[in-house]
Amino acid sequence: MDYAKMRAIAEELGAYAEQLEGSWSVEIGPSGPILAMMYPSKRHEGTVRRIRNQLNEQLPGTHPGYTCENGPEIEHPSIGRMRRPDAVVIPESALDEEGLAVDATQVIAAVEIVSPSNPENDYGAKLSEYPAMGIDHYMIVDPRTGTIEVHTEPCGNRYQRKEPYIFGDQVALGPWTVDTSAFRRYAKPGQAAG
């Protein structure tokens, strides 16, 4: 199926999702359009907020006119993908454009907070799709394990470089630094969150 057809189906799914209760996300992955209910935990959202706030403090000094936001979909029609990262660094002007998705070629960094229910999405499909989209920096934060990976140097459908970190580290993400000392792990199954 060509991307235009998949995009039309994704838009129909998005319109349908607006009528449903709860929070829904539409993406275009390897198997085509996907409608999924989102279950972001408080710790997931807190981590996204901390990263976004830190990057937005640093962006005026490194990339004036750019912002780190959560929510906008990014798309790359030539590879047939549309994704919704937990946070992206994009030109602020992209948020004023018509349409639903930001052109992935405008994205200089993507951040994903691993979900307990679907970790293979961030470590598998997106780890090959984001470099194929030309995204220079991809940070995977995993509250299940307290680990972080920063992937750089995209080449085809893979990154050539990976830097591992743990919660508490000062993480180098391109020209920015993310202080992870306030990041919290998910509670283990059967354990109350602390």
Side-chain angles (χ1 to χ4, degrees):
M1 181 181 319
D2 73 358
Y3 186 76
K5 287 180 185 174
M6 288 191 291
R7 188 69 166 91
I9 292 168
E11 287 180 20
E12 288 176 24
L13 286 172
Y16 174 72
E18 288 177 10
Q19 301 168 25
L20 301 173
E21 290 191 29
S23 182
W24 295 83
S25 172
V26 177
E27 294 185 324
I28 299 174
S31 58
I34 306 158
L35 175 63
M37 187 167 200
M38 297 174 12
Y39 297 100
S41 70
K42 292 183 285 184
R43 289 200 172 166
H44 178 280
E45 293 304 297
T47 303
V48 171
R49 182 184 53 80
R50 286 180 181 97
I51 293 168
R52 193 181 69 236
N53 289 348
Q54 290 182 52
L55 293 180
N56 280 327
E57 286 178 12
Q58 298 170 59
L59 281 165
T62 63
H63 293 79
Y66 278 73
T67 185
C68 180
E69 296 299 329
N70 60 325
E73 280 113 0
I74 61 172
E75 71 178 340
H76 200 292
S78 68
I79 65 167
R81 297 292 185 271
M82 182 178 75
R83 292 296 190 173
R84 186 176 185 178
D86 290 316
V88 288
V89 176
I90 55 174
E92 239 179 294
S93 60
L95 297 173
D96 293 326
E97 297 170 353
E98 277 295 320
L100 299 175
V102 173
D103 182 340
T105 62
Q106 296 181 315
V107 177
I108 56 177
V111 177
E112 295 288 1
I113 314 303
V114 176
S115 139
S117 62
N118 192 16
E120 60 278 351
N121 198 24
D122 299 323
Y123 286 111
K126 292 179 182 180
L127 189 53
S128 66
E129 293 170 3
Y130 289 167
M133 291 179 175
I135 298 172
D136 289 333
H137 310 285
Y138 175 34
M139 183 164 78
I140 304 172
V141 179
D142 196 337
R144 300 169 314 145
T145 59
T147 58
I148 301 160
E149 294 180 359
V150 175
H151 298 269
T152 56
E153 299 177 19
C155 181
N157 65 350
R158 66 182 206 77
Y159 287 102
Q160 296 182 83
R161 186 178 181 126
K162 175 178 95 171
E163 296 294 329
Y165 297 91
I166 59 171
F167 282 20
D169 287 346
Q170 298 289 317
V171 174
L173 178 63
W176 316 292
T177 301
V178 177
D179 177 0
T180 68
S181 61
F183 287 15
R184 298 293 175 256
R185 292 181 64 174
Y186 296 142
K188 293 182 176 153
Q191 174 186 11

